[in-house]
Structures are given as structure tokens and as C-alpha cells.
Amino acid sequence: MKTQGSRLPRWLRSEHPFPWLFPVTSLLIVFGLYPVLYSLWLSFYKRNPATRKETFLPSHNWSKLISDDRVWDAVQVTFSYACIALILQLVLGMLIALLLDSDKKGFGILRALMTLPLVVPPAVTGMMFLLMYDSSFGVISNALYSLNLLSPDAPILGTGSTALWGVIIADVWQWTPFMVLIMLAGLRALPKEPFEAASIDGATAVQSFFHLTLPMMSKIIALAVLIRGIDLFRVYDYVKVMTDSGPGTATETLTAYAGTVYFKSANFAYASTVALATLILVLVTATLFIKIFKVRF
Amino acid sequence: MASVKISNLKKEYGPVQVLHSLDLEVADGDFVVLLGPSGCGKSTLLRMIAGLEPITAGDVFFDDRRVNDIHAKDRNIAMVFQNYALYAHMSVRKNMAFSMRLKKIDKKIIDEKVEWAASILGLEPYLDRLPKELSGGQRQRVAMGRAIVRDPDVFLFDEPLSNLDAKLRVQMRTEIKDLHQRLKTTTVYVTHDQIEAMTMADEVVIMRDGVIEQAGSPMDIYDNPGNLFVAQFIGSPGMNIVECQVSEANGKLCATKGDLQLPLPSNANVINGQTIYYGIRPEHLQATRQASLAASDSNDKSITGVVRVVEPTGPEIHIYSKLDNQDVCSISRDRVLWAPGEDIHFIPDVEHVHLFDGDTKLAI
Ligand SMILES: Nc1ncnc2c1ncn2[C@@H]1O[C@H](COP(=O)(O)OP(=O)(O)OP(=O)(O)O)[C@@H](O)[C@H]1O
Ligand SMILES: [Mg+2]
């Protein structure tokens, strides 16, 4: 023991936290903090598209952002997307978890199968749904045609009013299992005695759910909302693959807009500003949520 | 209100048989106490009456209604759980009010009922606390409160006072008894505490290993235990039991063990040579310092032991002695000071001797 200890370099035997924190701290600084600060610095520059020269003018991009209608549209799309998808995933996740919360034979396998969508790469999910929505051969479109719920003149992803829903459904398909997993973990950890007491007190299953299950799971639900909410806020892959923000800008989220500005207009300064605005919006929303619902980690 | 009838009730957990064909009838308005050692199946029986535990075989009836397939929520019972089972996220007030809120009872009546229960249980200062902010005994009282605010057909209590201090326990015992005398609600009450069983019950049911050993009024069970187990289980301090042989001395039958000779009741239905258990309650074993007195009373040799421990309880003194390598307890109401190591002579009250068969362990 002693010989091995003394063979290690001195800094590895240190009681001081710094050597142990150094690797992860430096990674965070290089790949996390530095890019953020760099975008902040970029956002203070004005880019001249003709000369491709950048001049330091801190107010330019930020005031442009405020008066940019496309940004406000994107904020609205982003919020709609995140809220609708979150609610669907939450409700579906809870319902499926309630169904799967059983010790009967076969339920273990069902729970395992449930996780399959999670292993599909999001871009692949997007392509898959793109094909299924296809107005000539897509299964989903054809099924809706035969139910008279959809007409071939208005393809799902090509119509402004349905395109966002089309993308949301792909997201819901992929991420509901994640909710199911979290909800199942919560449900399985609930003590069963209060539920017995409630049935003695005359509570129906539905009453037990609303009076006991939900309040007892509130912490877990809040955590799931937070994790998924932040994730949904920065959606990019589904939109990019399925609609590329279209038709028009009907499905243009903030990150999609930032991507367009960055990769299509090569206006790195303004793209950084939009991206930073997204970050600020996420932080503010998440902080409000944490404060209001008293989420604790 | 309802009577409860259990017929041929069985419970198995996989290969483990926990209850073996129980039969029990609780008349409408009766207060029945289930008494038995830990693990004998009292809680299981109670939970099956409540409808929380699937029934392996047999039936449970409320009045004439077979309730086997009726869900717990529809049986109109109130229950105090052994582990309290409080709603952790609700205040004490909400815990107690829950059943009434589900029934959409008027808010004012709910408040009145909760205040009433809280005053009986001494919970008024804690009404707005969460269960985790209460002591074990306080939680148990909340569980109690949750039951007594109800107006059920049957009360089921699973050791509802086990965590209270001695004084509070006596107080609560009286409250429960008073409540029962006023409401006359059929009650099944599980306890380990003999005094609770004796003082509260109309009928005591003694259980062991999933079998009912004996059922009857408390005094009847105390005076006429049907078998050795019941005799030893009921009474505190417990009955003194000596395994001995029936033999003849001076033309009379008596029970002997080694040098020890114990007098038998005149009408004892035993034969010479039979192995029996000789039982006598401590209060029927008079202790004296005068060997002559003891000898003349028992016709023969005096029964003599050595004092080991003396426990004064206030009204009476419990004397534990060694008698022929056997621990014997006697109760004396006289304020005689006994010292450990001193010789002690016993005069058994022959008419109160209990005899049990050596093989079947049943009362003779
Ligand atoms: N889920 C279970 N699986 C297997 N055996 C069980 C289960 N629950 C209880 N038992 C067994 O059933 C028997 C009766 O248990 P029960 O809880 O009814 O005892 P009890 O008389 O209430 O004891 P106590 O006085 O300690 O509360 C015990 O031997 C226990 O080990
Ligand atoms: Mg028990």
C-alpha cells in the first residue's frame, strides 16, 4: 500500500481538490465557456456583407434582433413547438407508464421494448417521418387520405397549418419513451401503503391518481419537464431534416433561424446574437419554472 | 353497521401458508380483539377483511353480503394501519379530512369532525403540520383520527396504540372504549397488549400460527384456557406451568416432579401415571414464610423455593422464585418484604389449578 502510494506523482496524492477538478474544468472552459464568450464577443461586431469586414459596434446586432420580425416569429414557433410537444409527451408518458406499471408477466419485456425509439438517431427519425408523410407513398398520408382527414392538395409538411404538427409528432414519437422511463421510475418508487389507505378512505383509482400519485410525483414530473423542456427549446435536427423551416418560415424555430443566418448568410455576428438570445430565453424560462414550482435537485 | 363473518378463510403466499381455514363471527356492534404472538397472521386477517389482501380460499361476509369480490373502497370500513400509512404530502388536517372530502361532505361539518377528533387525540397543536414533522406516537394518533372521523360499518384497528406512552395509551384506550359504547360500531382490534385485550374486548380471539386457538369473553378465556398455549399466553405475569407426573401418595393422587408434590383438585379427571402440565396463576399461589402452614395446607410436604427477584408494582408485589429448577412467579398483595435468597413456601389455591394433557396439551 505504502510503496504504491509513494510511487504516484506528488500531485496525484494531493488532498487538494484542484488537481482532481482540473481536467473537467479545463474541458468546460475550452468547449463550453470559451465558445459562449466568443459568440458574445462576435455579437458586438457589425458585419458588412459587401466588404466582409467586421467593425466593433455593440448595439448593432442586438437592436437588429429586437426589431427583427423573423426572430419574434421564431420565438412564437419555438414556444408553440416546445409547449405542445412537452404536454403531449408528458401526458402520453404518464399514461403509458401507468399502463406499464405492473409486476405481471411480460411487462418487463414491454418496458424494455418501450425504449427502442430512443436509440434511433434524431436525424434518422426525421427522415423516417419525412418518408411516412410523403404525399404520394407515405403510409401516414395514405392512411389519412383513406380516412378523409387529409387531402393530397395539402401535404402535411408542405402546408403552413400542419407542418409544425408534423414535426412535433416525430419528436413525440422519439421522446415519449424517455418520459415513460422517468415516470415509471417514479411510479415504481411510490410507497403502496398510502394507496391502500386511500382505497379504505373510499377513493377511486382516478381520485387516488389525482390526490396521491400526482402530488407524490410532483418533484419527478417537474424534473422531467425541465430536462425535456430545455431539450425541446433547442430543437434543430427535426426541423432541419423535415421542413428546413418551411413552408416559408412556418416551422422556423430560433435555432433554425440562427442556423440559417449562420450557414446561409454567413453572418456569424448576427447568428451568434440569435443563438445567445435563445440561450437567454431558455435560462430565463427555466429559472422561472424552477422558482415557481420549487424544483430541487 | 354490520356483522362480520369469516368462513374457512385461507391465505397463502406462494408455498407459505399463513392462515389455515379460519372461522370467526363478529356480531353486529361487537368489539373483538385479535391477540397472538408476532407473525401469527393478525394483520393478514385484518387486511383480508379490509379487502387489501387477495383471499386464497374461503369467504368473508358483511351481514349476509359476501364481500370477497368487493373492492376495499366499497366496503365502508375504517382502518388504522400498523404502519400508519399516512398521506405524506398532506397536513394532519387534510389526512383526517380526506375521506370526507371525497364524499363531498360540507366543509363546515368536515372542520367540526376534524376538530373533534383532534381534541380527543390531543392533536390540536399539530393540525397544520406534515406527517414527517410529527413523532411516531403523534403519527399513530393521526392514523387513529383518520379512522374515527369516519362513520363506517366496521372499524379495523391494527395495533393502534402500540407507539404511545403508558399514560396516553390508557387514556386512548378509554376513549376508544367510550367511542364504541356510544357508536356501537362493529370493531376488530389487533393488539399485543393483554391489558388492552382484556379491558376493551367483548370477545378475545387468540391466534397462533394462522390458527384460532380459542375465542371467548376475556374473563372466560382467563379463567378457562382451553389449551396450554392460551394458558401461557393470557395473563401477565404468565401462568406458572410445571410438567409433572400423576402419582399416588398417602392414598391420594397428586402431581409430582422430582421431589416436588403438588396437590390436585378433588375432581381432577386424571389417572395415575399420566403426564400432565400443572398450571397455576401467580395470584393463586400464596407465598408464606411459615413452612408449617404450607405443609399442613397441602397435606404433605411443603412446597419450598428460593426467592430470586422481587418486583413491587405498587398495588402488589411480584415474587419470582426458583422451585426445583423451575421459575415460579407469585403475586402477593401483602406488604411483606422478601429478600432474594430467602426460602419461600407456597400454598396453591387448589380450586384454581389448571391441568393440561401431556400429549394433546388440551385442558383436562
Ligand atoms: N408478502 C408476504 N409474503 C410472504 N409472507 C408474508 C407476506 N406478508 C406476511 N407474510 C408472513 O405472514 C405471516 C403473518 O404476518 P402478519 O403480518 O399477519 O403477522 P402479525 O400477526 O400481524 O404480526 P405482528 O404482530 O408482528 O404485526 C408472517 O409469518 C409473515 O412472515
Ligand atoms: Mg401485524
Side-chain angles (χ1 to χ4, degrees), chain A residues 20-286:
Chain A
W20 307 102
L21 291 176
F22 175 72
V24 68
T25 317
S26 51
L27 285 177
L28 276 177
I29 289 173
V30 171
F31 295 106
L33 195 60
Y34 170 71
V36 172
L37 292 178
Y38 183 68
S39 351
L40 188 65
W41 182 74
L42 266 183
S43 76
F44 292 151
Y45 278 80
K46 177 178 186 243
R47 180 184 161 88
N48 185 330
T51 61
R52 297 189 182 174
K53 281 262 158 55
E54 277 151 0
T55 44
F56 188 75
L57 189 58
S59 64
H60 175 77
N61 284 317
W62 290 95
S63 56
K64 182 175 166 192
L65 180 89
I66 302 290
S67 55
D68 187 347
D69 284 344
R70 242 175 118 173
V71 166
W72 293 109
D73 276 352
V75 168
Q76 209 190 330
V77 170
T78 308
F79 266 104
S80 311
Y81 183 91
C83 291
I84 296 172
L86 190 59
I87 290 169
L88 285 177
Q89 289 173 14
L90 201 59
V91 172
L92 280 176
M94 181 56 103
L95 286 177
I96 296 172
L98 285 171
L99 287 177
L100 291 181
D101 179 20
S102 165
D103 286 320
K104 293 209 187 79
K105 234 189 160 129
F107 277 78
I109 293 174
L110 282 182
R111 285 196 288 269
L113 286 178
M114 194 61 223
T115 59
L116 279 184
L118 286 173
V119 300
V120 180
V124 173
T125 304
M127 311 248 271
M128 210 167 78
F129 273 84
L130 197 59
L131 295 177
M132 290 198 288
Y133 286 141
D134 190 280
S135 54
S136 54
F137 59 81
V139 275
I140 295 179
S141 293
N142 278 313
L144 291 175
Y145 295 156
S146 61
L147 291 171
N148 271 332
L149 291 172
L150 188 73
S151 114
D153 313 331
I156 297 174
L157 295 179
T159 310
S161 56
T162 52
L164 193 62
W165 285 96
V167 184
I168 287 175
I169 284 169
D171 197 310
V172 168
W173 177 84
Q174 179 133 59
W175 289 103
T176 299
F178 176 78
M179 280 298 193
V180 175
L181 286 187
I182 294 190
M183 298 297 167
L184 260 178
L187 285 175
R188 309 230 98 201
L190 289 181
K192 74 179 202 312
E193 291 85 10
F195 291 89
E196 295 182 342
S199 64
I200 295 282
D201 272 346
T204 60
V206 175
Q207 285 171 325
S208 289
F209 176 77
F210 283 106
H211 288 292
L212 300 187
T213 311
L214 274 191
M216 286 162 97
M217 297 251 304
S218 59
K219 291 248 164 68
I220 287 169
I221 294 174
L223 200 64
V225 166
L226 199 64
I227 296 175
R228 276 309 297 144
I230 292 174
D231 235 17
L232 282 164
F233 228 88
R234 54 179 181 76
V235 58
Y236 183 75
D237 23 26
Y238 301 106
V239 173
K240 184 72 192 162
V241 170
M242 294 172 74
T243 61
D244 199 8
S245 303
T249 56
T251 57
E252 187 170 72
T253 59
L254 274 170
T255 46
Y257 182 43
T260 305
V261 175
Y262 196 98
F263 296 114
K264 290 195 180 149
S265 325
N267 189 345
F268 306 136
Y270 190 49
S272 297
T273 317
V274 176
L276 277 177
T278 314
L279 177 67
I280 291 167
L281 210 56
V282 170
L283 285 179
V284 169
T285 316

Side-chain angles (χ1 to χ4, degrees), chain A residues 196 198-201 203 211, chain B residues 47 73 77 83 87 89 150:
Chain A
E196 295 182 342
S199 64
I200 295 282
D201 272 346
H211 288 292
Chain B
R47 290 168 52 83
K73 73 178 191 314
I77 40 180
N83 50 17
Y87 310 125
H89 59 287
R150 300 270 310 276

